[in-house]
Each structure stands twice: as structure tokens, then as C-alpha cells.
Amino acid sequence: SIMPGGGIREENVQEIIRFTGVKEVHFTAFSTFDSPMTYRNARPLMGSERVPGEYERWMTDASCVRRIVERAEAGT
């Protein structure tokens, strides 16, 4: 089976399904959360002014998954 993926969001999942006729899609549904790290040394910058995400975590967001699935099902 061919499964489209990359850039699929709740805003475009219905259009992708309608346009392609696919039955399945692959998507990432995460949110960024502040890390619970207690000691943060901001001095070592590893060659840049800010290391992106150094004190952040990406976690699967169940509500985002739910919204995408609902939109996908409504578009079929």
C-alpha cells in the first residue's frame, strides 16, 4: 500500500485523502513541552547562540491524534 506522509496535519488531511483516494496516512502528532530538567547550564552554547530544543521535549499529543483521525474519518 502507498501511505502519504510528511506535512500531514489536521488542516490538510481531508484534502489529501480526497485528492489521492488513499485509505491510510502517516503523520506526526506531537507537542513541545518544557523539560523537567532541574539543572540548566545556559553557558555552553555548542557553537550557536541557542541550541534549539535543549530544554524542551517532544511528546505525542493524544488530542492532536484524535483531531487528525476525526478529520480523516469525516473526509472519507
Side-chain angles (χ1 to χ4, degrees):
S1 97
I2 296 174
M3 186 183 308
I8 295 178
R9 302 175 308 280
E10 66 179 289
E11 297 85 10
N12 65 8
V13 68
Q14 287 179 337
E15 180 181 2
I16 291 167
I17 290 170
R18 273 190 239 124
F19 183 76
T20 63
V22 297
K23 305 288 184 211
E24 301 171 339
V25 294
H26 176 72
F27 61 90
T28 302
F30 64 84
S31 292
T32 305
F33 298 93
D34 194 43
S35 168
M37 184 184 305
T38 53
Y39 176 74
R40 298 181 181 200
N41 185 350
R43 289 179 301 206
L45 300 176
M46 304 297 183
S48 89
E49 292 185 28
R50 179 183 182 276
V51 179
E54 183 150 2
Y55 303 118
E56 300 170 341
R57 282 189 176 174
W58 289 7
M59 295 177 63
T60 300
D61 185 335
S63 64
C64 185
V65 172
R66 191 174 308 107
R67 289 191 309 271
I68 293 172
V69 170
E70 287 170 356
R71 293 239 180 140
E73 289 174 342
T76 58

